Amino acid sequence: AQTVTQSQPEMSVQEAETVTLSCTYDTSENNYYLFWYKQPPSRQMILVIRQEAYKQQNATENRFSVNFQKAAKSFSLKISDSQLGDTAMYFCAFADGTGKLIFGQGTTLQVKP
Amino acid sequence: DGGITQSPKYLFRKEGQNVTLSCEQNLNHDAMYWYRQDPGQGLRLIYYSQIVNDFQKGDIAEGYSVSREKKESFPLTVTSAQKNPTAFYLCASSIGSGITYSNYGYTFGSGTRLTVV
């Protein structure tokens, strides 16, 4: 069975600085997708970024980028120029062959002014 | 605008009662999902449905039931057999199931907070 692990329950960063959230996963599949979702205090889940496993190039969306290491089964999220609105819980997720999403435990990020 | 509507936002259940959480989507998505969120445990899959009139158990289905009589609707019933139902429940949908559609990820509702009183 696939698993997703986020080993950092809580993190904090100063406004305008850079922070990296870690995620590892375990799977025997070769073709899959990885996602980072943001859940702000409103609790609405928002897709931040996605990565296709067969693409070696790391995905980037504005201030958000990933470091995808397929052999190491690692998928970290880097947030540059952190803003107060980035304060949220962040979930790493893996999409298996059925399309189901498997989530990690989440990392609560606090951006401090 | 297309999206997923969950209702109610807050729900209180007495011991021994069954309650039903509503989830409606107008995105024309084939697949729908129910997740439970508890502090420190992330999102855990309760049930999912890949097509109308069909659904499968997820990782924590005990004490829950679902139906999928219409493409747009996927209600979740929390039965009295669920011993610890207090949690935040999220409904989601995706265009389809299978790796072909995995790229699109999910669209989520705004959630229902269920509390046992």
Side-chain angles (χ1 to χ4, degrees):
Chain A
Q2 290 91 348
T3 59
V4 178
T5 302
Q6 294 178 249
S7 58
Q8 306 152 313
E10 297 180 353
M11 295 190 71
S12 64
V13 63
Q14 292 295 133
E15 195 175 6
E17 294 187 345
T18 295
V19 65
T20 298
L21 308 183
S22 301
C23 174
T24 58
Y25 59 94
D26 188 24
T27 184
S28 58
E29 296 183 18
N30 192 48
N31 190 19
Y32 50 86
Y33 292 85
L34 295 162
F35 303 85
W36 278 98
Y37 279 88
K38 171 184 176 181
Q39 187 181 45
S42 68
R43 307 200 80 168
Q44 180 68 52
M45 295 286 280
I46 302 166
L47 177 63
V48 175
I49 198 166
R50 77 190 83 199
Q51 174 78 42
E52 300 165 70
Y54 60 86
K55 285 190 176 180
Q56 292 187 336
Q57 185 174 4
N58 289 324
T60 300
E61 289 286 344
N62 301 313
R63 297 181 296 108
F64 299 89
S65 62
V66 299
N67 183 5
F68 174 49
Q69 301 290 329
K70 190 173 183 179
K73 297 180 182 175
S74 172
F75 183 60
S76 61
L77 174 69
K78 185 172 82 170
I79 305 175
S80 304
D81 186 25
S82 296
Q83 301 176 358
L84 296 177
D86 295 333
T87 292
M89 179 167 281
Y90 288 82
F91 290 98
C92 178
F94 169 96
D96 70 7
T98 68
K100 290 184 298 182
L101 277 182
I102 300 161
F103 290 86
Q105 304 91 325
T107 297
T108 300
L109 176 67
Q110 179 73 42
V111 180
K112 298 179 178 180
Chain B
D1 288 336
I4 297 181
T5 301
Q6 287 187 244
S7 62
K9 191 173 179 67
Y10 299 96
L11 186 58
F12 298 90
R13 192 195 92 167
K14 293 182 180 179
E15 296 275 356
Q17 271 187 341
N18 292 354
V19 291
T20 297
L21 283 59
S22 172
C23 178
E24 303 277 335
Q25 55 101 357
N26 60 3
L27 299 165
N28 200 33
H29 284 179
D30 282 330
M32 297 187 74
Y33 309 83
W34 274 105
Y35 284 88
R36 170 177 172 147
Q37 184 177 5
D38 296 281
Q41 297 196 52
L43 278 68
R44 293 181 292 168
L45 183 63
I46 304 172
Y47 268 99
Y48 63 103
S49 169
Q50 297 173 322
I51 197 168
V52 175
N53 292 322
D54 188 43
F55 49 83
Q56 287 79 39
K57 293 182 178 180
D59 300 320
I60 56 166
E62 185 175 352
Y64 299 97
S65 65
V66 293
S67 63
R68 186 85 187 278
E69 297 176 1
K70 298 186 301 181
K71 188 175 186 178
E72 300 80 14
S73 179
F74 191 41
L76 173 73
T77 296
V78 184
T79 74
S80 57
Q82 172 50 238
K83 298 307 178 187
N84 184 24
T86 294
F88 186 67
Y89 291 85
L90 278 165
C91 179
S93 70
S94 62
I95 292 175
S97 57
I99 197 66
T100 303
Y101 301 101
S102 292
N103 178 48
Y104 299 97
Y106 287 3
T107 300
F108 284 87
S110 56
T112 294
R113 174 69 183 176
L114 173 62
T115 303
V116 174
V117 296

